[in-house]
Amino acid sequence: EVQLVQSGAEVKKPGESLTISCEGSGYIFTKYWITWVRQMPGKGLEWMGRIDPSDSYINYSPSFQGHVTISADKSISTAYLQWSSLKASDTAMYYCARLFYGSGTYNWFDPWGQGTLVTVSS
Amino acid sequence: DIQMTQSPSSLSASVGDRVAITCRASQTISTNLNWYQQKPGKAPKLLIYAASTLQSGVPSRFSGSGSGTDFTLTISSLQPEDFATYYCQQCYSTPPYTFGQGTKLEIK
């Protein structure tokens, strides 16, 4: 079974650093990009960025560039999302998902991780 | 960037009803359009890709149609488990991958 398992919920203070993880299993990790999506409380889905685990090539959404760092360790089939200095506005659920390419230009996110809730509060 | 607009933002319906949710792209995206379902407290789940292809395991009461800028997700006969929020997503001009704002389907 193809699945992505994310690290557990985190409660942090403003200014602290944080890394959350997303481990893939059931498929060849280096063959598919991993993407990250933010969902703020009661809001919709926002694409943050994607990484090719085979060479760690990354694309960021302009909205998140400079605010987060995406990385991956292909030796342990794990992708990461990192903050160096959290803000209260980073409070959200964060999802990773596998970027699947079908025929032609078609692509989609499947499966998704279960989500990691990050709460930033003083 | 391509903007995606869904309508309505929320919808009340009854079990057995036929419902349609629309998604409009700010420019043509051919059929590079995906639909996701998200239930409360759960991760989104892929329903339809390439505008009209049902993901494996998705009930046939779900269908997708459209091309260019206008798309529709139709549920032919609502079941209790279908009450959720639905998102469209364009995958034509990427990155970035843009989602619609979501349509919350509630029980009447």
Side-chain angles (χ1 to χ4, degrees):
Chain A
E1 178 194 7
V2 175
Q3 60 178 350
L4 297 173
V5 177
Q6 298 184 228
S7 50
E10 302 274 1
V11 179
K12 292 289 188 178
K13 290 181 167 47
E16 292 186 331
S17 63
L18 174 65
T19 299
I20 63 175
S21 66
C22 169
E23 182 180 2
S25 63
Y27 72 101
I28 300 173
F29 188 69
T30 52
K31 285 203 152 194
Y32 301 89
W33 295 68
I34 292 289
T35 190
W36 288 94
V37 174
R38 183 177 78 174
Q39 187 168 40
M40 299 180 76
K43 301 299 183 182
L45 304 172
E46 302 173 90
W47 180 74
M48 302 176 70
R50 66 177 186 178
I51 185 167
D52 180 349
S54 67
D55 61 5
S56 289
Y57 182 79
I58 302 166
N59 296 121
Y60 289 100
S61 163
S63 300
F64 293 93
Q65 177 98 43
H67 298 287
V68 297
T69 300
I70 294 171
S71 61
D73 185 342
K74 61 185 178 183
S75 70
I76 55 172
S77 301
T78 300
Y80 302 96
L81 182 63
Q82 179 182 357
W83 295 260
S84 59
S85 181
L86 286 159
K87 304 174 184 177
S89 57
D90 293 317
T91 295
M93 182 71 82
Y94 293 89
Y95 294 102
C96 64
R98 187 181 69 164
L99 175 56
F100 188 95
Y101 277 86
S103 61
T105 58
Y106 298 117
N107 54 96
W108 53 87
F109 296 176
D110 182 69
W112 294 60
Q114 83 276 20
T116 296
L117 180 62
V118 174
T119 304
V120 183
S121 174
S122 54
Chain B
D1 296 351
I2 298 175
Q3 307 303 315
M4 307 300 293
T5 304
Q6 290 180 231
S7 61
S9 296
S10 64
L11 175 60
S12 294
S14 302
V15 173
D17 284 353
R18 179 184 181 90
V19 299
I21 298 168
T22 63
C23 178
R24 175 164 289 177
S26 59
Q27 63 190 73
T28 184
I29 59 170
S30 184
T31 53
N32 294 81
L33 189 284
N34 306 321
W35 289 98
Y36 299 88
Q37 176 194 62
Q38 186 179 32
K39 296 182 179 180
K42 299 293 186 183
K45 169 190 166 185
L46 176 69
L47 288 180
I48 289 170
Y49 59 90
S52 61
T53 303
L54 228 56
Q55 172 68 336
S56 175
V58 174
S60 58
R61 61 181 180 272
F62 290 91
S63 64
S65 63
S67 66
T69 60
D70 294 308
F71 302 87
T72 303
L73 172 68
T74 302
I75 310 173
S76 60
S77 178
L78 272 174
Q79 297 303 300
E81 61 268 29
D82 299 337
F83 292 94
T85 300
Y86 293 86
Y87 294 93
C88 64
Q89 177 205 33
Q90 70 86 17
C91 57
Y92 177 78
S93 175
T94 59
Y97 296 84
T98 43
F99 293 90
Q101 80 278 17
T103 295
K104 186 173 184 179
L105 179 53
E106 299 174 303
I107 300 175
K108 185 182 288 184

